[in-house]
PDB file of all heavy atoms in Angstrom:
ATOM      1  N   ASN I 799      -3.395  11.789  33.788  1.00  0.00           N
ATOM      2  CA  ASN I 799      -3.333  13.094  33.138  1.00  0.00           C
ATOM      3  C   ASN I 799      -4.491  13.949  33.606  1.00  0.00           C
ATOM      4  O   ASN I 799      -5.601  13.461  33.754  1.00  0.00           O
ATOM      5  CB  ASN I 799      -3.432  12.928  31.621  1.00  0.00           C
ATOM      6  CG  ASN I 799      -2.310  12.084  31.094  1.00  0.00           C
ATOM      7  OD1 ASN I 799      -2.494  10.910  30.857  1.00  0.00           O
ATOM      8  ND2 ASN I 799      -1.162  12.668  30.960  1.00  0.00           N
ATOM      9  N   GLY I 800      -4.215  15.208  33.844  1.00  0.00           N
ATOM     10  CA  GLY I 800      -5.277  16.118  34.236  1.00  0.00           C
ATOM     11  C   GLY I 800      -5.635  16.018  35.695  1.00  0.00           C
ATOM     12  O   GLY I 800      -6.672  16.509  36.111  1.00  0.00           O
ATOM     13  N   SER I 801      -4.782  15.391  36.499  1.00  0.00           N
ATOM     14  CA  SER I 801      -5.129  15.267  37.908  1.00  0.00           C
ATOM     15  C   SER I 801      -4.603  16.453  38.712  1.00  0.00           C
ATOM     16  O   SER I 801      -4.779  16.503  39.912  1.00  0.00           O
ATOM     17  CB  SER I 801      -4.580  13.966  38.471  1.00  0.00           C
ATOM     18  OG  SER I 801      -3.194  13.916  38.291  1.00  0.00           O
ATOM     19  N   GLY I 802      -3.973  17.390  38.059  1.00  0.00           N
ATOM     20  CA  GLY I 802      -3.577  18.607  38.765  1.00  0.00           C
ATOM     21  C   GLY I 802      -2.123  18.639  39.183  1.00  0.00           C
ATOM     22  O   GLY I 802      -1.737  19.487  39.974  1.00  0.00           O
ATOM     23  N   LYS I 803      -1.331  17.726  38.639  1.00  0.00           N
ATOM     24  CA  LYS I 803       0.069  17.678  39.066  1.00  0.00           C
ATOM     25  C   LYS I 803       0.817  18.935  38.640  1.00  0.00           C
ATOM     26  O   LYS I 803       1.474  19.587  39.456  1.00  0.00           O
ATOM     27  CB  LYS I 803       0.760  16.444  38.449  1.00  0.00           C
ATOM     28  CG  LYS I 803       0.100  15.143  38.806  1.00  0.00           C
ATOM     29  CD  LYS I 803       0.867  13.962  38.278  1.00  0.00           C
ATOM     30  CE  LYS I 803       1.019  13.919  36.775  1.00  0.00           C
ATOM     31  NZ  LYS I 803      -0.163  13.585  36.011  1.00  0.00           N
ATOM     32  N   THR I 804       0.700  19.254  37.350  1.00  0.00           N
ATOM     33  CA  THR I 804       1.434  20.412  36.854  1.00  0.00           C
ATOM     34  C   THR I 804       0.913  21.692  37.487  1.00  0.00           C
ATOM     35  O   THR I 804       1.679  22.606  37.790  1.00  0.00           O
ATOM     36  CB  THR I 804       1.337  20.471  35.322  1.00  0.00           C
ATOM     37  OG1 THR I 804       1.947  19.299  34.811  1.00  0.00           O
ATOM     38  CG2 THR I 804       2.040  21.676  34.775  1.00  0.00           C
ATOM     39  N   THR I 805      -0.394  21.766  37.714  1.00  0.00           N
ATOM     40  CA  THR I 805      -0.946  22.951  38.371  1.00  0.00           C
ATOM     41  C   THR I 805      -0.351  23.097  39.763  1.00  0.00           C
ATOM     42  O   THR I 805      -0.043  24.210  40.200  1.00  0.00           O
ATOM     43  CB  THR I 805      -2.472  22.832  38.470  1.00  0.00           C
ATOM     44  OG1 THR I 805      -2.979  22.490  37.197  1.00  0.00           O
ATOM     45  CG2 THR I 805      -3.079  24.128  38.923  1.00  0.00           C
ATOM     46  N   LEU I 806      -0.169  21.966  40.451  1.00  0.00           N
ATOM     47  CA  LEU I 806       0.427  22.015  41.780  1.00  0.00           C
ATOM     48  C   LEU I 806       1.817  22.647  41.712  1.00  0.00           C
ATOM     49  O   LEU I 806       2.162  23.512  42.516  1.00  0.00           O
ATOM     50  CB  LEU I 806       0.495  20.589  42.353  1.00  0.00           C
ATOM     51  CG  LEU I 806       1.073  20.472  43.749  1.00  0.00           C
ATOM     52  CD1 LEU I 806       0.170  21.158  44.751  1.00  0.00           C
ATOM     53  CD2 LEU I 806       1.281  19.027  44.137  1.00  0.00           C
ATOM     54  N   VAL I 807       2.596  22.223  40.720  1.00  0.00           N
ATOM     55  CA  VAL I 807       3.927  22.800  40.551  1.00  0.00           C
ATOM     56  C   VAL I 807       3.827  24.297  40.309  1.00  0.00           C
ATOM     57  O   VAL I 807       4.531  25.098  40.920  1.00  0.00           O
ATOM     58  CB  VAL I 807       4.657  22.134  39.359  1.00  0.00           C
ATOM     59  CG1 VAL I 807       6.020  22.769  39.187  1.00  0.00           C
ATOM     60  CG2 VAL I 807       4.771  20.654  39.566  1.00  0.00           C
ATOM     61  N   ASN I 808       2.920  24.671  39.404  1.00  0.00           N
ATOM     62  CA  ASN I 808       2.764  26.085  39.078  1.00  0.00           C
ATOM     63  C   ASN I 808       2.346  26.890  40.299  1.00  0.00           C
ATOM     64  O   ASN I 808       2.751  28.038  40.471  1.00  0.00           O
ATOM     65  CB  ASN I 808       1.723  26.258  37.969  1.00  0.00           C
ATOM     66  CG  ASN I 808       2.285  25.910  36.622  1.00  0.00           C
ATOM     67  OD1 ASN I 808       3.499  25.886  36.448  1.00  0.00           O
ATOM     68  ND2 ASN I 808       1.421  25.612  35.672  1.00  0.00           N
ATOM     69  N   LEU I 809       1.528  26.273  41.160  1.00  0.00           N
ATOM     70  CA  LEU I 809       1.081  26.986  42.358  1.00  0.00           C
ATOM     71  C   LEU I 809       2.253  27.194  43.318  1.00  0.00           C
ATOM     72  O   LEU I 809       2.446  28.284  43.851  1.00  0.00           O
ATOM     73  CB  LEU I 809      -0.018  26.174  43.053  1.00  0.00           C
ATOM     74  CG  LEU I 809      -1.397  26.244  42.401  1.00  0.00           C
ATOM     75  CD1 LEU I 809      -2.315  25.190  42.986  1.00  0.00           C
ATOM     76  CD2 LEU I 809      -2.002  27.618  42.591  1.00  0.00           C
ATOM     77  N   ILE I 810       3.030  26.134  43.524  1.00  0.00           N
ATOM     78  CA  ILE I 810       4.134  26.257  44.483  1.00  0.00           C
ATOM     79  C   ILE I 810       5.164  27.261  43.989  1.00  0.00           C
ATOM     80  O   ILE I 810       5.690  28.061  44.752  1.00  0.00           O
ATOM     81  CB  ILE I 810       4.787  24.880  44.724  1.00  0.00           C
ATOM     82  CG1 ILE I 810       3.785  23.932  45.379  1.00  0.00           C
ATOM     83  CG2 ILE I 810       6.018  25.015  45.616  1.00  0.00           C
ATOM     84  CD1 ILE I 810       4.287  22.519  45.528  1.00  0.00           C
ATOM     85  N   THR I 811       5.440  27.240  42.682  1.00  0.00           N
ATOM     86  CA  THR I 811       6.492  28.114  42.176  1.00  0.00           C
ATOM     87  C   THR I 811       5.990  29.513  41.830  1.00  0.00           C
ATOM     88  O   THR I 811       6.751  30.337  41.352  1.00  0.00           O
ATOM     89  CB  THR I 811       7.149  27.508  40.923  1.00  0.00           C
ATOM     90  OG1 THR I 811       6.109  27.130  40.031  1.00  0.00           O
ATOM     91  CG2 THR I 811       7.991  26.317  41.277  1.00  0.00           C
ATOM     92  N   GLY I 812       4.717  29.755  42.032  1.00  0.00           N
ATOM     93  CA  GLY I 812       4.215  31.109  41.859  1.00  0.00           C
ATOM     94  C   GLY I 812       3.800  31.469  40.448  1.00  0.00           C
ATOM     95  O   GLY I 812       3.478  32.621  40.172  1.00  0.00           O
ATOM     96  N   PHE I 813       3.807  30.502  39.527  1.00  0.00           N
ATOM     97  CA  PHE I 813       3.393  30.820  38.161  1.00  0.00           C
ATOM     98  C   PHE I 813       1.887  31.003  38.074  1.00  0.00           C
ATOM     99  O   PHE I 813       1.376  31.628  37.161  1.00  0.00           O
ATOM    100  CB  PHE I 813       3.842  29.728  37.199  1.00  0.00           C
ATOM    101  CG  PHE I 813       5.267  29.890  36.783  1.00  0.00           C
ATOM    102  CD1 PHE I 813       6.285  29.377  37.554  1.00  0.00           C
ATOM    103  CD2 PHE I 813       5.594  30.587  35.643  1.00  0.00           C
ATOM    104  CE1 PHE I 813       7.599  29.549  37.187  1.00  0.00           C
ATOM    105  CE2 PHE I 813       6.903  30.763  35.276  1.00  0.00           C
ATOM    106  CZ  PHE I 813       7.911  30.243  36.045  1.00  0.00           C
ATOM    107  N   VAL I 814       1.172  30.404  39.039  1.00  0.00           N
ATOM    108  CA  VAL I 814      -0.270  30.526  39.079  1.00  0.00           C
ATOM    109  C   VAL I 814      -0.644  30.909  40.504  1.00  0.00           C
ATOM    110  O   VAL I 814      -0.057  30.389  41.445  1.00  0.00           O
ATOM    111  CB  VAL I 814      -0.924  29.180  38.684  1.00  0.00           C
ATOM    112  CG1 VAL I 814      -2.400  29.205  38.963  1.00  0.00           C
ATOM    113  CG2 VAL I 814      -0.677  28.869  37.228  1.00  0.00           C
ATOM    114  N   LYS I 815      -1.572  31.848  40.624  1.00  0.00           N
ATOM    115  CA  LYS I 815      -1.961  32.242  41.977  1.00  0.00           C
ATOM    116  C   LYS I 815      -3.095  31.353  42.464  1.00  0.00           C
ATOM    117  O   LYS I 815      -4.053  31.135  41.732  1.00  0.00           O
ATOM    118  CB  LYS I 815      -2.406  33.705  41.963  1.00  0.00           C
ATOM    119  CG  LYS I 815      -1.290  34.647  41.599  1.00  0.00           C
ATOM    120  CD  LYS I 815      -1.372  35.936  42.361  1.00  0.00           C
ATOM    121  CE  LYS I 815      -0.126  36.808  42.198  1.00  0.00           C
ATOM    122  NZ  LYS I 815       0.896  36.391  41.255  1.00  0.00           N
ATOM    123  N   PRO I 816      -3.004  30.861  43.703  1.00  0.00           N
ATOM    124  CA  PRO I 816      -4.043  29.942  44.175  1.00  0.00           C
ATOM    125  C   PRO I 816      -5.355  30.666  44.451  1.00  0.00           C
ATOM    126  O   PRO I 816      -5.363  31.865  44.753  1.00  0.00           O
ATOM    127  CB  PRO I 816      -3.447  29.382  45.468  1.00  0.00           C
ATOM    128  CG  PRO I 816      -2.452  30.372  45.903  1.00  0.00           C
ATOM    129  CD  PRO I 816      -1.937  31.049  44.680  1.00  0.00           C
ATOM    130  N   THR I 817      -6.462  29.916  44.323  1.00  0.00           N
ATOM    131  CA  THR I 817      -7.760  30.486  44.659  1.00  0.00           C
ATOM    132  C   THR I 817      -7.901  30.566  46.175  1.00  0.00           C
ATOM    133  O   THR I 817      -8.450  31.521  46.706  1.00  0.00           O
ATOM    134  CB  THR I 817      -8.883  29.593  44.086  1.00  0.00           C
ATOM    135  OG1 THR I 817      -8.539  29.244  42.752  1.00  0.00           O
ATOM    136  CG2 THR I 817     -10.208  30.309  44.092  1.00  0.00           C
ATOM    137  N   ALA I 818      -7.393  29.541  46.855  1.00  0.00           N
ATOM    138  CA  ALA I 818      -7.423  29.547  48.317  1.00  0.00           C
ATOM    139  C   ALA I 818      -6.279  28.685  48.812  1.00  0.00           C
ATOM    140  O   ALA I 818      -5.724  27.883  48.065  1.00  0.00           O
ATOM    141  CB  ALA I 818      -8.761  29.002  48.817  1.00  0.00           C
ATOM    142  N   GLY I 819      -5.933  28.843  50.064  1.00  0.00           N
ATOM    143  CA  GLY I 819      -4.921  27.976  50.649  1.00  0.00           C
ATOM    144  C   GLY I 819      -3.638  28.712  50.958  1.00  0.00           C
ATOM    145  O   GLY I 819      -3.534  29.922  50.782  1.00  0.00           O
ATOM    146  N   ARG I 820      -2.647  27.934  51.414  1.00  0.00           N
ATOM    147  CA  ARG I 820      -1.450  28.537  51.974  1.00  0.00           C
ATOM    148  C   ARG I 820      -0.253  27.663  51.641  1.00  0.00           C
ATOM    149  O   ARG I 820      -0.320  26.433  51.674  1.00  0.00           O
ATOM    150  CB  ARG I 820      -1.672  28.571  53.482  1.00  0.00           C
ATOM    151  CG  ARG I 820      -0.791  29.482  54.268  1.00  0.00           C
ATOM    152  CD  ARG I 820      -1.234  29.393  55.724  1.00  0.00           C
ATOM    153  NE  ARG I 820      -0.106  29.702  56.574  1.00  0.00           N
ATOM    154  CZ  ARG I 820       0.236  30.944  56.886  1.00  0.00           C
ATOM    155  NH1 ARG I 820      -0.472  31.954  56.459  1.00  0.00           N
ATOM    156  NH2 ARG I 820       1.300  31.178  57.637  1.00  0.00           N
TER     157      ARG I 820
END
Side-chain angles (χ1 to χ4, degrees):
Chain I
N799 300 99
S801 57
K803 302 185 299 287
T804 298
T805 310
L806 181 66
V807 179
N808 283 341
L809 283 168
I810 296 174
T811 50
F813 278 86
V814 169
K815 296 216 170 6
T817 315
R820 197 178 153 84

